Amino acid sequence: MSAEIEEILKRYGNYPNVAGIIIVDAFAIPIKTTMEYTLTVHYAALAHNLLMKGSKMTQNLDASNELTALRLRTLNHEVMIVPEENFFIIVVQKPGQ
Amino acid sequence: MSAEVEEMLKHFHSMKNVAGIVVIDNDGIPIKSTLEHTLSVHYAATMQTLLEKARQVVLDLDATNELSFLRMRTLYHEIMLCPKADYFIVVIQNPSE
């Protein structure tokens, strides 16, 4: 699993507008991050919570459906949360021009 | 406001792959919808809760930031939520291949 994570970090780290990448395990504990620690933990907790809610909402609407990605566009950046099997990835991106 | 809503509905309706559009006011009531009523009300309730949670996540991370758009990718479709001042729009789109 950690080889997979390294590969993900490398892949996303090469994009020009990526401000940060956080890999969070199933218990909302950040296992890898490119941002500073307090902010990472903050993002991890909030994103985990939102992902759980989003997942529940999707299944509420259609029991066979599943959430595969969540994207939040804000004024200053875009946050993408992608759940994988044993972990989930948060990517914070500055919107390009 | 309802002229604006009508115009937007027309605009989105003309796009390909749109499976449904629901316009929901601040009280969680679907004011315009292309889906049948029970489903619209279901979407209104679940999406409003999720939108509120997402707004709070953004505000919690940075008090000057605001949520401008939320996109959920699921197995079968993509759900886009756009919050406006007095209402929010949910567009359900079938992803093209």
Side-chain angles (χ1 to χ4, degrees), chain B residues 10-28:
Chain B
K10 234 187 325 172
H11 177 75
F12 290 140
H13 220 38
S14 62
M15 294 174 157
K16 281 192 310 172
N17 293 329
V18 172
I21 308 164
V22 190
V23 182
I24 304 160
D25 75 358
N26 282 334
D27 300 320

Side-chain angles (χ1 to χ4, degrees), chain A residues 5-15 21:
Chain A
I5 292 175
E6 291 302 327
E7 200 214 297
I8 293 171
L9 269 183
K10 226 185 334 167
R11 198 179 354 138
Y12 292 142
N14 288 332
Y15 286 109
I21 308 164

Side-chain angles (χ1 to χ4, degrees), chain A residues 12 15-21 34-35 43 77-78 91-94:
Chain A
Y12 292 142
Y15 286 109
N17 290 320
V18 171
I21 308 164
T34 63
M35 308 196 313
Y43 262 101
H77 28 248
E78 186 159 2
V91 180
V92 181
Q93 195 179 23
K94 284 192 285 285

Side-chain angles (χ1 to χ4, degrees), chain A residues 24-45:
Chain A
V24 186
D25 74 358
F27 300 109
I29 298 168
I31 48 185
K32 268 250 172 261
T33 176
T34 63
M35 308 196 313
E36 77 72 35
Y37 190 64
T38 333
L39 190 59
T40 302
V41 174
H42 204 174
Y43 262 101

